[in-house]
Amino acid sequence: MMMNRRMFSATLVAGAASLISSRGMAAKPSPIPARNVVLVHGLFADGSCWSEVIARLQAAGLNATAVQNPLTTLPEAVASTQRVLALQDGPTVLVGHSFAGMIVTEAGVHPNVSALVYVAARGPDAGEDYSALAKTFATPPATAGIVFNGDEGRLSEAAFLRDFAGDLPEARSRVLYAVQQPFQKALLTGRTSQAAWRSKPSFYAVSTEDRTINPDLERFMAKRMGAKTIEVKASHLSLISKPDEITKLILEATGRT
């Protein structure tokens, strides 16, 4: 069978992952008990998208804080998370959804961070061009729904309802669409300078029905980081449609289960 360019690139990426695995990354420590959880949202959202998970974490006796990501530049987004991490009173699990995986990867080296959780999130290596990596996999449908007004980007209503929040009741999706925050184009050009997942215990929730990030790309990133991985039959917004599963994974990262 003839192999096209995209298939060839994907094969190379998969091979690189296997090589990393076969060489053996340095063994990462098991999660230490943590009572704090810091949650970071990605594009097309704000901190309220974590409400379902926050309620469950609080019921479990944890201190949960959602960062309001400014969605301006990667350094500014990382700084906003670092300020919240500095306020925590001990070991803290850092959780990122979608684009916030970039922030978790960079800010996760903070000494307060005991473990990382990626929820259908980007998981770049240090200095990696994430866009180039993503192009080695089939382009997800939501990409075509991003619209710009000058330097501000948003997801169209049709793409938001269908490709971002496709497994939520339409009324709930429309509420989320109403609080969508625009992102600055400059945010997409940022690259991480370090990869916290290389030294911190990492966990990953793959959304199998994701139409915003290719699920196979999620699987690749999770495998590369050696993360404890679960697969959730959910849209990109598994943190809302499947909060019990996402909360359980976070609790595992806190050393509670």
Side-chain angles (χ1 to χ4, degrees):
M1 181 179 71
M2 294 294 291
M3 181 178 291
N4 62 31
R5 183 177 179 180
R6 173 168 282 164
M7 291 171 61
F8 179 68
S9 297
T11 300
L12 287 179
V13 169
S18 297
L19 183 60
I20 291 171
S21 175
S22 65
R23 287 179 175 174
M25 296 175 61
K28 291 184 281 189
S30 299
I32 61 175
R35 65 174 302 272
N36 304 303
V37 179
V38 169
L39 307 119
V40 193
H41 69 85
L43 307 184
F44 323 126
D46 71 355
S48 68
C49 68
W50 288 108
S51 297
E52 296 290 338
V53 170
I54 288 171
R56 287 163 172 77
L57 293 174
Q58 290 175 338
L62 295 170
N63 173 44
T65 306
V67 176
Q68 290 293 357
N69 179 356
L71 300 175
T72 49
T73 67
L74 182 59
E76 289 175 354
V78 169
S80 68
T81 296
Q82 289 174 328
R83 286 192 292 270
V84 174
L85 288 172
L87 296 174
Q88 306 308 303
D89 62 357
T92 301
V93 172
L94 181 58
V95 187
H97 172 242
S98 192
F99 178 86
M102 302 281 292
I103 301 168
V104 166
T105 297
E106 183 78 12
V109 298
H110 192 285
N112 279 350
V113 175
S114 57
L116 313 169
V117 180
Y118 293 79
V119 180
R122 300 185 181 196
D125 204 347
E128 184 171 49
D129 183 341
Y130 175 83
S131 295
L133 172 64
K135 287 178 181 177
T136 63
F137 293 82
T139 302
T143 301
I146 299 174
V147 293
F148 284 93
N149 180 14
D151 288 334
E152 286 191 344
R154 294 174 175 82
L155 200 59
S156 71
E157 183 174 11
F160 193 102
L161 300 181
R162 180 184 62 243
D163 303 324
F164 188 65
D167 61 345
L168 297 179
E170 184 174 331
R172 177 70 169 123
S173 298
R174 289 188 181 280
V175 170
L176 293 167
Y177 176 75
V179 299
Q180 177 183 186
Q181 297 298 298
F183 67 90
Q184 292 295 312
K185 190 177 292 186
L187 183 66
L188 303 181
T189 64
R191 295 193 189 187
T192 55
S193 63
Q194 46 203 344
W197 50 261
R198 287 194 168 273
S199 58
K200 302 285 179 83
S202 302
F203 299 77
Y204 200 111
V206 173
S207 284
T208 63
E209 312 304 305
D210 206 323
R211 293 170 60 88
T212 301
I213 295 179
N214 188 313
D216 285 334
L217 173 56
E218 294 177 14
R219 293 182 181 105
F220 164 77
M221 292 184 290
K223 181 178 180 180
R224 180 174 64 172
M225 65 177 64
K228 163 62 186 297
T229 304
I230 64 170
E231 297 215 353
V232 183
K233 189 175 182 180
S235 71
H236 194 55
L237 288 181
S238 58
L239 64 170
I240 298 175
S241 65
K242 302 289 185 179
D244 289 335
E245 289 89 332
I246 301 305
T247 301
K248 182 178 179 181
L249 186 65
I250 295 171
L251 289 174
E252 185 173 349
T254 68
R256 295 291 182 104
T257 60

